[in-house]
Structures are given as structure tokens and as C-alpha cells.
């Protein structure tokens, strides 16, 4: 491919003009689920796609809270 044929996108506006899908951070990713950190017992709220890690201590073992029915 020659240099003249190569097209670069510098902004999201350019991607929209070319009809490329652009991720929108305002779109909800699903329900928030609460977990308990295995290291410091802090409540951690996670959504789909979040990294499984405590926001306070960085521990990567979290336990899902029981539902209260």
C-alpha cells in the first residue's frame, strides 16, 4: 500500500463520517453487582467488563454477596 492510499483517523468525528462504530462511554454496560473484597472486606461494585480488583487494596479475590430474598 502506498502512502497516498493510506487513510488515518485523527478524531472520532472522522470515524463517524466514515460510518465506523465508535464506543460510547455513556452507554450502560449492565447492572452493577456488589462484591466483598477478600483482603480488606470493602464492598466493591463491578459491572460487566470491569477488571476484578478491589479499588481500595488491589486484592483480586472478591466474593459475591448473598441475595436477601
Amino acid at each position: 500500500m502506498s502512502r497516498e492510499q493510506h487513510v488515518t483517523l485523527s478524531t472520532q468525528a472522522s470515524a463517524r463520517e466514515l460510518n465506523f462504530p465508535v464506543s460510547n462511554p455513556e452507554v450502560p454496560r449492565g447492572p452493577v453487582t456488589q462484591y466483598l473484597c477478600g483482603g480488606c472486606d470493602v464492598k466493591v461494585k463491578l459491572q460487566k467488563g470491569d477488571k476484578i480488583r478491589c479499588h481500595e487494596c488491589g486484592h483480586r479475590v472478591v466474593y459475591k454477596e448473598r441475595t436477601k430474598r
Side-chain angles (χ1 to χ4, degrees):
M1 175 183 282
S2 69
R3 190 171 53 160
E4 290 79 22
Q5 294 173 339
H6 184 71
V7 177
T8 59
L9 298 175
S10 60
T11 63
Q12 287 188 353
S14 298
R16 276 189 229 110
E17 291 169 4
L18 295 174
N19 294 326
F20 289 129
V22 177
S23 64
N24 188 354
E26 298 172 3
V27 174
R29 295 180 294 172
V32 176
T33 308
Q34 283 197 352
Y35 296 89
L36 288 173
C37 174
C40 64
D41 292 328
V42 170
K43 290 186 179 182
V44 181
K45 294 181 181 179
L46 297 175
Q47 289 183 323
K48 182 178 179 181
D50 285 347
K51 297 190 182 210
I52 301 171
R53 183 170 287 248
C54 176
H55 305 296
E56 297 293 322
C57 69
H59 199 72
R60 293 191 292 178
V61 176
V62 293
Y63 300 101
K64 189 171 183 178
E65 290 186 327
R66 290 185 167 223
T67 58
K68 298 171 179 92
R69 292 186 187 194

